[in-house]
Amino acid sequence: MKSRAILVLGPALLLAVPAAAGCSGGTAEPPADSGGAGATGAAAAGSSSGAAVGAGGTGGATFAGSAGASSGGGAAGGAAGASAAGTGPSGGAGGAVAAGGAAGAGAGAGGESAGAGLSTTPGRMMWTAVRHHSGTTPNGRTNGPTQGPEQALVVHNGGAAALTLSLSLTGPGASRFRITSPSGALQLEPGADAEVRLALTTSSDELGAPPAQDDGATALSAALELSAGGKTLSIPSYALVLTYVELEPTFGQILRAFPEYTTKLPSWLPDDANPNPPQLPGVVAGTDEVSAPAFERMDPQKPVVMRALARFSPPGLVPFGWYDPASPGARTTVATLAELKDAQTNDKSRMLEPPLASGSTTFTPSADRFGIWMTPAGVGLLASEDASCFDGKHRVRTWSVRDAQGVVRPGTFLIGGEEAANGDYQDYVFLLENVRPAP
């Protein structure tokens, strides 16, 4: 379902999201590279071996009065973003703006207006792109396209009166985005829809010096504000601009795109795009990682949700799904990550919210106990049970997910899959819902 941001006539819910620690990411290709000029913000203290980071959901509609609230910060810095209450089938309640001005949450998927008002589809805008360098490209690296990507959203007037909407961009990364249409105010009759288009600059000359290798991508956050009659609807944008096609963001930069949730990662993971922990260690103590070779449904009357939040891996179709631990060779495919021509995302293989070629984000396992798996082409099986992985190593990690206040969200887990040896665990990132580790 597409997400929607909704402007409702009512009080806003204030959410403060803890600051996200940057994360790491790499694949079997050249070492994951340069990183984030993104939002800063301190990580929650946790324990000496863990670092708290924001994770993902499909959050609610961002709402502001005449003062606006598009660049709220987290607990570690900045004013909290204001959010209306919309929810989605797999997202948490209301949205927020990520710590240190990272990304605001989008509208809940499939959310509907609580009354007459303004809404957009989608309710947030996610971007992944590659810098275009005017100079010489180093050997083994691929330059980005000359033009940055462009996206459209549809604005709907669900009210009874015509609206004259002013459009503006706010937030720390606003100068890196531009409104390409309309060129002025937007006139919207009752019940009517209109398209608004935004573009992202990827010129390295305009973005400034790229981050150092292993620091991730250049992270940018901004918000498109639609204002009328003293009310403002804020649609967050969050972009990860890779330094070259082969290079990747950190795990923390990925999770900042989804600020509704937090988790505590091992200290070597959040801020390094190429961490190389010794021998892919097992479950790390002092973090939110749990031992989960198999799962069971928390509510047996509801399906399991397995939603891809990010993928930073070589291109190719990647099926994923569930299996009965008693018969690990008989795997059930839930969906397949797509391979589609796109120079900005290496054919949809390096991006936030990667598309599916087939399947869905929910499944109902026939086994009481089940594991999860994914099979990258040319690599082999990655599975929740180490013994089922192609080399028997700990290639799939499972972390408990917390809400913005640090309270564990029952039945919700973050999954990180590692297909190479550098231990970034962002080759495949999923949100798993309505499950718990099976005994």
Side-chain angles (χ1 to χ4, degrees):
M1 277 188 174
K2 293 183 178 179
S3 61
R4 306 182 76 185
I6 306 161
L7 177 63
V8 292
L9 304 180
L13 172 68
L14 293 178
L15 283 178
V17 180
C23 279
S24 72
T27 68
E29 299 186 356
D33 207 46
S34 63
T40 54
S47 71
S48 60
S49 60
V53 299
T58 55
T62 306
F63 172 82
S66 56
S70 63
S71 59
S83 169
T87 60
S90 63
V97 180
E112 296 297 334
S113 175
L118 190 67
S119 64
T120 69
T121 304
R124 65 178 177 192
M125 304 184 83
M126 297 286 209
W127 308 72
T128 312
V130 184
R131 281 180 181 247
H132 176 74
H133 303 262
S134 57
T136 303
T137 301
N139 290 335
R141 303 302 187 202
T142 306
N143 201 5
T146 55
Q147 296 295 321
E150 189 169 316
Q151 291 189 36
L153 59 81
V154 175
V155 184
H156 176 72
N157 181 3
L163 294 174
T164 301
L165 295 167
S166 62
L167 283 66
S168 61
L169 291 166
T170 64
S175 64
R176 308 310 184 199
F177 298 85
R178 72 181 188 278
I179 300 168
T180 60
S181 69
S183 58
L186 180 62
Q187 306 293 328
L188 204 57
E189 296 297 320
D193 295 332
E195 184 179 82
V196 175
R197 299 190 69 85
L198 271 65
L200 169 68
T201 182
T202 54
S203 165
S204 197
D205 294 337
E206 295 182 44
L207 292 173
Q213 186 169 348
D214 296 346
D215 284 348
T218 299
L220 303 169
S221 60
L224 170 67
E225 294 196 340
L226 309 176
S227 301
K231 298 291 184 180
T232 298
L233 179 63
S234 182
I235 300 94
S237 271
Y238 183 69
L240 293 175
V241 185
L242 311 183
T243 303
Y244 293 104
V245 169
E246 295 79 12
L247 306 182
E248 301 174 351
T250 67
F251 202 108
Q253 288 175 328
I254 291 170
L255 297 188
R256 284 195 187 105
F258 307 96
E260 296 95 288
Y261 307 129
T262 62
T263 195
K264 191 193 300 180
L265 298 171
S267 58
W268 46 264
L269 182 57
D271 297 311
D272 191 341
N274 192 34
N276 285 301
Q279 299 182 353
L280 300 182
V283 175
V284 180
T287 72
D288 281 335
E289 186 178 2
V290 299
S291 176
F295 299 90
E296 62 185 12
R297 279 191 285 174
M298 190 166 184
D299 184 343
Q301 303 305 312
K302 295 181 179 179
V304 175
V305 176
M306 188 173 181
R307 183 167 64 93
L309 300 183
R311 171 190 180 182
F312 287 88
S313 65
L317 298 172
V318 180
F320 63 90
W322 67 273
Y323 66 95
D324 184 342
S327 304
R331 297 185 295 273
T332 299
T333 299
V334 173
T336 299
L337 296 176
E339 180 179 20
L340 300 168
K341 196 68 176 176
D342 179 19
Q344 295 287 358
T345 62
N346 200 18
D347 297 342
K348 304 298 184 183
S349 69
R350 297 175 181 273
M351 65 182 298
L352 299 168
E353 297 186 329
L356 300 179
S358 60
S360 71
T361 58
T362 63
F363 64 93
T364 302
S366 56
D368 292 336
R369 298 176 75 255
F370 59 92
I372 60 168
W373 62 272
M374 57 216 77
T375 53
V379 175
L381 179 65
L382 311 182
S384 52
E385 183 178 32
D386 294 354
S388 295
C389 290
F390 70 88
D391 60 357
K393 294 183 178 180
H394 191 50
R395 293 192 169 275
V396 174
R397 294 185 184 273
T398 303
W399 293 279
S400 297
V401 170
R402 301 172 183 267
D403 64 17
Q405 288 72 41
V407 179
V408 172
R409 294 176 60 94
T412 305
F413 294 89
L414 186 68
I415 304 295
E418 172 59 54
E419 65 174 30
N422 67 340
D424 55 23
Y425 286 91
Q426 44 72 300
D427 298 336
Y428 309 99
V429 181
F430 292 89
L431 193 70
L432 197 62
E433 298 178 283
N434 190 35
V435 299
R436 59 190 170 205

